Amino acid sequence: MLEGKVDPTQEKFPFNDVPVGYEWAKTYIQELVDKGMTTGVTQTKFHPSKSVTRGQFVTMIGRALHLEEHTYQATFKDVKKGEYYTPYILKAAEIGLVKGNHGAFQPHQPISREQMALIITRLYEHLNIQAPTGNYQSFKDYENISPYAREAVGTLKELGVITGKANGEFAPRQHLTRAQSAKVLIESLQHIK
């Protein structure tokens, strides 16, 4: 998963499980590996269609921007000292990227597409990046986007970070896949100078 060390000098695409239909993701996945943001599930498997957990997603952001907390604080009852994701989640909470729910972060739960959008736009706010307001209503299923995430979804659409599904929907509560997370993170980083 994300626990291992990443070899940013890897020259050849290391994963043999990125099937037809996921060619679009190869460049993004390679860039994640090159930047030291993630590893595969094994040395040769990436599992592009598997869901990304909340802990994994925040870890990738933390690794990309070198955001980690070195002093353990019991911020969330389910984020324990010594886990690979703990320093990144604690820092993300400290700077306002994540808030948790009833004292828990749920690091092993899959992250939804709308949760991803909210975290990325909070990151932009934290970094004082002027992000445009976009039209979340351009998605066919815009009424299914939670009110708290609507502006974030519109912003990421306006920036070109997300485009939605081929059917014109955003699918806000669908789990973000590992391939989708690669694209979103690399595209998001393009707006961070």
Side-chain angles (χ1 to χ4, degrees), residues 22-103:
Y22 281 91
E23 295 88 355
W24 59 268
K26 281 188 171 184
T27 302
Y28 297 115
I29 292 167
Q30 185 65 56
E31 198 165 339
L32 282 186
V33 172
D34 291 347
K35 289 181 182 296
M37 295 167 63
T38 191
T39 62
V41 177
T42 70
Q43 286 189 321
T44 59
K45 303 290 183 206
F46 187 76
H47 292 183
S49 63
K50 295 266 188 207
S51 297
V52 172
T53 68
R54 293 167 50 82
Q56 290 169 340
F57 190 74
V58 171
T59 296
M60 287 187 276
I61 292 171
R63 286 180 176 169
L65 301 176
H66 308 288
L67 301 172
E68 63 184 290
E69 182 58 55
H70 296 285
T71 306
Y72 178 75
Q73 305 151 21
T75 306
F76 300 111
K77 60 187 173 190
D78 58 351
V79 176
K80 305 295 182 204
K81 188 175 186 175
E83 297 290 341
Y84 74 92
Y85 51 70
T86 298
Y88 304 106
I89 292 172
L90 295 179
K91 190 63 171 183
E94 178 186 315
I95 63 175
L97 304 188
V98 299
K99 300 189 189 290
N101 190 13
H102 301 292

Side-chain angles (χ1 to χ4, degrees), residues 17-193:
D17 68 334
V18 180
V20 173
Y22 281 91
E23 295 88 355
W24 59 268
K26 281 188 171 184
T27 302
Y28 297 115
I29 292 167
Q30 185 65 56
E31 198 165 339
L32 282 186
V33 172
D34 291 347
K35 289 181 182 296
M37 295 167 63
T38 191
T39 62
V41 177
T42 70
Q43 286 189 321
T44 59
K45 303 290 183 206
F46 187 76
H47 292 183
S49 63
K50 295 266 188 207
S51 297
V52 172
T53 68
R54 293 167 50 82
Q56 290 169 340
F57 190 74
V58 171
T59 296
M60 287 187 276
I61 292 171
R63 286 180 176 169
L65 301 176
H66 308 288
L67 301 172
E68 63 184 290
E69 182 58 55
H70 296 285
T71 306
Y72 178 75
Q73 305 151 21
T75 306
F76 300 111
K77 60 187 173 190
D78 58 351
V79 176
K80 305 295 182 204
K81 188 175 186 175
E83 297 290 341
Y84 74 92
Y85 51 70
T86 298
Y88 304 106
I89 292 172
L90 295 179
K91 190 63 171 183
E94 178 186 315
I95 63 175
L97 304 188
V98 299
K99 300 189 189 290
N101 190 13
H102 301 292
F105 181 72
Q106 301 175 320
H108 301 288
Q109 291 296 322
I111 191 167
S112 72
R113 292 165 57 89
E114 66 183 4
Q115 290 169 342
M116 164 277 300
L118 189 61
I119 291 171
I120 295 294
T121 56
R122 284 178 178 164
L123 176 63
Y124 289 163
E125 289 172 18
H126 170 72
L127 297 173
N128 295 314
I129 295 171
Q130 296 294 332
T133 302
N135 183 7
Y136 69 89
Q137 292 178 330
S138 61
F139 291 113
K140 289 181 181 178
D141 61 344
Y142 72 89
E143 291 178 343
N144 295 332
I145 302 170
S146 298
Y148 72 83
R150 289 178 176 167
E151 187 175 319
V153 169
T155 294
L156 293 189
K157 183 169 187 342
E158 183 70 22
L159 290 172
V161 172
I162 58 173
T163 55
K165 303 283 196 166
N167 65 2
E169 295 182 348
F170 177 63
R173 293 188 179 95
Q174 222 175 58
H175 298 156
L176 190 69
T177 68
R178 290 173 57 83
Q180 291 166 346
S181 71
K183 177 189 184 293
V184 163
L185 288 167
I186 297 304
E187 293 291 337
S188 296
L189 291 175
Q190 302 300 320
H191 300 284
I192 298 172
K193 305 289 184 231

